């Protein structure tokens, strides 16, 4: 029956379009909404263990910079910034020898700073601005949200149940994901805004963060800086705000 075949063909096309639309809705709205709901409910011990296992991949002992003076400077800046914050996280900085102009906020409180980024900071205030920004990614659990969004359902189940052993299976994958992590515009703006608040309340010149973003935003010809721009988007908009 030609009419029946035509009807089946139309229904098949409509069904295919429906599946595509449902997939897009799930990808752009469903998964981010689910991640936003799950992230605040993840047990702190689970988050900390995941961060430690990821740190061992991104910043292995042999790749870390051994400079007591630098370690002291970073520790002091971090202590000053964290003084007025709730004691939920214990923040620690790790410097890795790499030309990459980047810093990575890991779940649980660890922050990896690549030496290429240190070379681009012109003052302690600029470095403090970067650290304050990354601390906010941790305290607002932006990293956890993105990990959940970009990972499999298996990881989400481990997060919800607090299964630390299950989370370790994903540590290598997550480490590589974190190195290329691109936050949403809303998360970046929140980290900037709360990072500025943190700097001001700590008595640190907030213009350091602005100067650093201006330096990075104007350096798109250099490959290392391109990496920072790719993981921290909308540089012009951020400078203006």
């Amino acid at each position: 029956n030609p009419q029946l075949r035509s009807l089946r063909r139309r229904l098949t096309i409509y069904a295919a379009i429906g599946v595509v639309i449902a997939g897009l809705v799930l990808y752009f709205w469903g998964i981010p909404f689910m991640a936003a709901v799950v992230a605040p409910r993840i047990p702190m011990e689970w988050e900390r263990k995941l961060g430690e296992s990821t740190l061992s991949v991104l910043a292995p002992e042999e790749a870390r910079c051994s400079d007591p003076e630098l370690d002291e400077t970073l520790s002091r800046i971090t202590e000053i910034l964290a003084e007025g914050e709730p004691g939920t996280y214990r923040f620690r900085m790790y410097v890795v020898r790499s030309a990459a102009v980047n810093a990575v906020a890991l779940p649980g409180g660890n922050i990896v700073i690549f030496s290429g980024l240190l070379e681009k900071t012109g003052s302690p205030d600029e470095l403090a601005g970067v650290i304050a920004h990354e601390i906010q990614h941790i305290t607002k659990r932006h990293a956890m949200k993105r990990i959940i969004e970009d990972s499999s359902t298996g990881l989400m189940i481990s997060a919800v149940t607090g299964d630390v052993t299950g989370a370790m299976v994903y540590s290598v994958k997550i480490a590589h994901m974190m190195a290329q992590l691109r936050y949403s515009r809303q998360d970046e703006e929140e980290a900037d805004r709360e990072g500025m608040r943190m700097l001001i309340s700590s008595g640190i010149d907030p213009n350091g963060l602005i100067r650093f973003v201006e330096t990075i935003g104007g350096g798109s010809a250099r490959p290392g800086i391109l990496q920072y721009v790719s993981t921290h988007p909308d540089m012009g908009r951020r400078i203006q705000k």
Side-chain angles (χ1 to χ4, degrees):
N1 188 323
Q3 288 185 334
L4 185 58
R5 284 198 298 270
S6 177
L7 176 61
R8 286 176 177 171
R9 190 179 303 113
R10 289 199 301 271
L11 290 176
T12 300
I13 293 172
Y14 294 153
I17 293 173
V19 169
V20 171
I21 292 174
L24 291 174
V25 169
L26 179 64
Y27 181 79
F28 286 106
W29 289 284
I31 293 176
F33 175 77
M34 190 182 306
V37 170
V38 170
R41 293 167 172 78
I42 292 175
M44 187 57 64
E45 179 65 13
W46 189 94
E47 183 178 348
R48 188 183 67 79
K49 288 289 187 181
L50 178 62
E52 290 292 338
S53 65
T54 308
L55 176 69
S56 66
V57 178
L58 271 182
E61 291 282 351
E62 63 273 13
R64 297 177 191 175
C65 295
S66 179
D67 186 332
E69 185 176 348
L70 175 60
D71 291 342
E72 176 61 28
T73 299
L74 290 172
S75 295
R76 183 58 185 147
I77 290 174
T78 307
E79 287 173 7
I80 293 172
L81 289 171
E83 277 177 1
E85 298 298 305
T88 308
Y89 293 94
R90 180 173 178 266
F91 302 105
R92 292 193 63 183
M93 309 293 128
Y94 297 87
V95 179
V96 172
R97 292 184 295 273
S98 170
V101 182
N102 209 357
V104 183
L106 301 179
N110 294 323
I111 296 174
V112 176
I113 301 174
F114 297 110
S115 56
L117 183 142
L118 287 178
E119 294 172 5
K120 299 301 177 186
T121 55
S123 68
D125 289 343
E126 291 186 25
L127 179 57
V130 174
I131 293 173
H133 177 89
E134 298 300 329
I135 283 177
Q136 292 304 318
H137 278 316
I138 294 172
T139 59
K140 303 304 179 186
R141 288 187 150 179
H142 295 159
M144 282 307 313
K145 283 197 301 182
R146 290 311 309 272
I147 288 172
I148 293 170
E149 287 178 23
D150 295 346
S151 299
S152 68
T153 54
L155 179 63
M156 189 176 296
I157 292 171
S158 295
V160 173
T161 60
D163 176 16
V164 176
T165 304
M168 300 306 103
V169 175
Y170 300 93
S171 60
V172 174
K173 175 185 175 182
I174 290 173
H176 293 296
M177 179 198 308
M178 294 295 297
Q180 301 296 327
L181 188 63
R182 181 186 174 104
Y183 293 107
S184 69
R185 176 180 292 178
Q186 290 78 12
D187 286 351
E188 285 291 0
E189 289 182 354
E190 184 175 32
D192 280 342
R193 182 176 63 253
E194 293 303 309
M196 293 290 276
R197 178 196 57 76
M198 176 180 256
L199 291 167
I200 293 169
S201 65
S202 300
I204 298 174
D205 183 5
N207 288 299
L209 178 57
I210 298 172
R211 287 195 302 271
F212 178 76
V213 176
E214 286 176 338
T215 299
I216 298 300
S220 59
R222 293 185 288 280
I225 290 184
L226 278 176
Q227 181 176 4
Y228 191 89
V229 172
S230 70
T231 56
H232 294 72
D234 306 308
M235 303 299 275
R237 175 187 172 92
R238 292 175 61 197
I239 290 169
Q240 184 181 29
K241 289 181 73 69

